[in-house]
Amino acid sequence: MKFFLDTANLEQIKEANDIGIIDGVTTNPSLMAKEGISGHNNVLKHYVKICEMVEGDISAEVIATDFEGIVREGEELASLAPNIVVKVPMIRDGVKAINHFSNNGIRTNCTLVFSAGQALLAAKAGATYLSPFIGRIDDTGWNGLGLIEQIVEIYANYGIMTEILAASIRNPLHIVKCAELGADVVTCPLKAMMGLLNHPLTDKGLAQFLADAEGTRG
Ligand code: E4P
């Protein structure tokens, strides 16, 4: 399972990249705003910086919601670097644009996916990645991981190549469960990713090893 970092924060991207645990980055307009990145040119420059830092796929989201606008923005984003994946919302014109991009060699990430029906449509249109938002589904009292399970089964039934990119991850358990269910990718905040490190028995065992090693020093 690939690990993408879900942020536009360059320091966090550098930290995760230096450890060697990320295969890509996803961003969205909210994450860009959180970093204070505004203005078309600044947004593009920020994407270029991320692409220069990380070898893997970088999802850059369009703002337009009409077909022509999505295509125009998507083509501009895709021209920034070979590892850009154009992130397109799951709306009618978005699906049409994904189909257009797919036919023209531009890779896509279909975002804001909350149902298996939407997952089928995105795959039919030729999306490279599909982003079901599991945390936001959980927030409403529904079962986000249940949706991942359903999409994994459906895609397996038909040998669909669209990669399931579990998004809106809230904690380390989400990551482990996605791996159990067979998601192709998880995208998560650094905190959730680093949470995978933690186990009290590791801390206890290390403290014991270090104490014992101290006693053997001559
Ligand atoms: C990533 O592609 C998504 O935009 C992101 O995971 C959404 O996460 P959130 O629900 O925490 O905003």
Side-chain angles (χ1 to χ4, degrees), residues 4-7 25-31 59 61 87 109-112 114 131-137 139 165-170 187-189:
F4 288 178
L5 192 63
D6 197 21
T7 188
V25 173
T26 54
T27 60
N28 63 37
S30 308
L31 292 171
S59 288
E61 188 159 343
K87 206 169 173 193
N109 173 355
C110 182
T111 190
L112 289 166
F114 294 93
S131 289
F133 277 30
I134 68 176
R136 291 194 195 185
I137 295 175
D139 291 344
L165 194 174
S168 187
I169 298 276
R170 299 277 193 258
T187 187
C188 40

Side-chain angles (χ1 to χ4, degrees), residues 66-192:
D66 64 294
F67 175 72
E68 287 77 15
I70 296 172
V71 168
R72 195 169 48 247
E73 276 185 37
E75 285 175 348
E76 184 175 33
L77 290 169
S79 72
L80 294 176
N83 52 339
I84 285 277
V85 174
V86 179
K87 206 169 173 193
V88 180
M90 169 38 77
I91 53 176
R92 186 184 184 282
D93 280 24
V95 173
K96 187 175 170 188
I98 287 169
N99 188 238
H100 172 84
F101 288 137
S102 170
N103 292 333
N104 288 278
I106 292 180
R107 295 176 309 134
T108 55
N109 173 355
C110 182
T111 190
L112 289 166
V113 170
F114 294 93
S115 77
Q118 292 177 328
L120 269 171
L121 268 185
K124 182 65 87 179
T128 313
Y129 293 104
L130 176 90
S131 289
F133 277 30
I134 68 176
R136 291 194 195 185
I137 295 175
D138 287 357
D139 291 344
T140 63
W142 292 61
N143 181 2
L145 289 165
L147 177 61
I148 299 296
E149 188 173 15
Q150 205 180 1
I151 298 170
V152 167
E153 184 182 346
I154 291 170
Y155 279 13
N157 284 346
Y158 299 101
I160 289 171
M161 299 304 288
T162 299
E163 293 191 52
I164 301 167
L165 194 174
S168 187
I169 298 276
R170 299 277 193 258
N171 54 57
L173 189 58
H174 270 159
I175 300 174
V176 173
K177 285 287 170 192
C178 284
E180 276 180 21
L181 293 170
D184 299 289
V185 193
V186 282
T187 187
C188 40
L190 187 58
K191 190 172 173 219

